[in-house]
Amino acid sequence: MEIIKTVKQMQQAAHAIRTGGESIALVPTMGFLHEGHLTLMRVGKEHCDRLIVSIFVNPTQFGPNEDLEAYPRDTEGDLRKAENVGVDLVFMPSAREMYPQGAQTSVVVKDLPRHLCGLSRPGHFDGVTTVVAKLFHMVNPHVAVFGQKDYQQLAVISRMVMDLDMDIQIIGVPTVRERDGLAMSSRNSYLSAEERQSALSLKKSLNLAERLFNEGERRAQAVKDFVQSYILEHPHTEIDYIALCDPVTLEDVNTLTEGTLVALAVRVGKTRLIDNARLRKQKKSKKQ
Ligand code: AMP
């Protein structure tokens, strides 16, 4: 497995792969890899000849009071896991390498960041789209793989790719969960044992929303109220948002339909966690 730290070398390596007639899949990450990341990598591998993973904790997507400094890091463990999955190349630039001094250009998607996480994390998605656009220029992938756990991020990046005519196939992978339902996240490592118990309320409340929908509830506000009171029954929880929204525009809806996105951001202790689900009608089981 090759490890590259400079933009120039990355571009040369990508050029050599393409010249050799091979295709490239990119999985961008911020490291501290878990099974969610590794699943994205396996999907990337299925789609292309060569798999490139970037590990970069991107400072421009963290707000001034967020956890940039504390963000968990484990380069050695990450490289071992990447190698085991069969990654061909890891690109891990420094912040100085990524952002040349005096950098003043960014990629901004206009409307999608105005919802959900964008409301409490101003500038976050500008940081995301800028760094992902830069990674795309550096790695020149045919395919890039992202997790549906960060639903809004996937939506924003898909929009950017469409709007800027980037010739890259974006693949979204369903959220990978712990056995008890908790969505895997590098930030789960911040949780105490008690907080982790409370964190289960996110997925359980999504299940509750789905159950209400399947029982015939169509009022978004009623489901939101249920979800809110369910989560708040758990200690250390503070709700950032509960949104029932259109899965494409991310605009709030009043009436639920199949496919409506239920998206949550909840602080558990000091850790901000997100999760989401699309409402589906469950098939009624056939009676014998
Ligand atoms: P991060 O390192 O948190 O920036 O995540 C890198 C990529 O992994 C993003 O596309 C995330 O959406 C994706 N990802 C993170 N956690 C999960 C998960 N539990 N299931 C699926 N994808 C995930």
Side-chain angles (χ1 to χ4, degrees), residues 28-30 34 36-37 40 71 146-147 149-150 153 174-176 184:
T29 80
M30 298 206 298
H34 51 66
H37 298 115
L40 267 52
Y71 197 82
F146 295 88
K149 181 188 158 254
D150 299 271
Q153 170 170 282
T175 301
V176 178
M184 289 193 183

Side-chain angles (χ1 to χ4, degrees), residues 26-31 37 40 52-56 132 135-136 144-146 153 157:
L26 170 66
V27 178
T29 80
M30 298 206 298
H37 298 115
L40 267 52
I52 299 180
V53 168
S54 62
I55 299 179
F56 179 62
V132 171
L135 285 168
F136 286 174
V145 190
F146 295 88
Q153 170 170 282
I157 288 166

Side-chain angles (χ1 to χ4, degrees), residues 203-216:
K203 170 61 175 157
K204 286 186 180 162
S205 74
L206 293 173
N207 295 345
L208 179 67
E210 184 135 78
R211 203 177 78 208
L212 291 169
F213 178 69
N214 273 284
E215 285 169 1

Side-chain angles (χ1 to χ4, degrees), residues 70-281:
Y71 197 82
R73 291 165 170 86
D74 176 19
T75 306
E76 218 176 283
D78 287 349
L79 294 176
R80 192 168 16 84
K81 289 173 193 167
E83 180 131 47
N84 284 341
V85 174
V87 172
D88 295 290
L89 192 159
V90 175
F91 177 46
M92 33 189 310
S94 65
R96 175 53 70 82
E97 180 68 16
M98 185 58 96
Y99 295 104
Q101 217 157 16
Q104 49 183 297
T105 306
S106 56
V107 178
V108 178
V109 173
K110 195 152 56 81
D111 292 330
L112 288 173
R114 292 183 182 161
H115 305 278
L116 309 181
C117 292
L119 296 174
S120 52
R121 303 188 73 188
H124 167 72
F125 287 107
D126 299 351
V128 169
T129 40
T130 301
V131 81
V132 171
K134 284 164 70 66
L135 285 168
F136 286 174
H137 286 303
M138 294 165 187
V139 176
N140 201 6
H142 297 80
V143 164
V145 190
F146 295 88
Q148 290 171 6
K149 181 188 158 254
D150 299 271
Y151 187 96
Q152 188 175 17
Q153 170 170 282
L154 177 58
V156 168
I157 288 166
S158 301
R159 188 74 244 176
M160 170 186 81
V161 164
M162 212 187 309
D163 291 350
L164 297 183
D165 308 296
M166 294 172 166
D167 189 13
I168 301 171
Q169 183 192 354
I170 302 297
I171 298 179
V173 173
T175 301
V176 178
R177 300 179 179 280
E178 304 285 357
R179 290 169 80 105
D180 55 12
L182 181 66
M184 289 193 183
S185 163
S186 304
R187 290 191 167 100
N188 291 348
S189 63
Y190 298 149
L191 299 169
S192 69
E194 200 183 52
E195 288 169 348
R196 200 186 170 294
Q197 274 306 110
S198 286
L200 297 177
S201 65
L202 276 80
K203 170 61 175 157
K204 286 186 180 162
S205 74
L206 293 173
N207 295 345
L208 179 67
E210 184 135 78
R211 203 177 78 208
L212 291 169
F213 178 69
N214 273 284
E215 285 169 1
E217 181 59 81
R218 293 293 178 268
R219 295 166 303 163
Q221 190 61 47
V223 171
K224 197 168 168 172
D225 291 345
F226 261 104
V227 166
Q228 170 161 322
S229 47
Y230 180 79
I231 292 173
L232 291 178
E233 277 170 18
H234 296 74
H236 314 296
T237 56
E238 188 193 328
I239 288 166
D240 180 354
Y241 65 77
I242 298 167
L244 291 113
C245 59
D246 180 280
V248 177
T249 64
L250 306 184
E251 305 270 358
D252 285 337
V253 297
N254 293 321
T255 306
L256 305 175
T257 54
E258 178 139 34
T260 295
L261 177 72
V262 188
L264 312 171
V266 177
R267 235 169 247 289
V268 182
K270 289 200 167 100
T271 309
R272 185 175 176 281
L273 300 175
I274 56 172
D275 205 341
N276 68 79
R278 303 276 301 276
L279 293 178
R280 299 260 170 254
K281 280 192 190 140

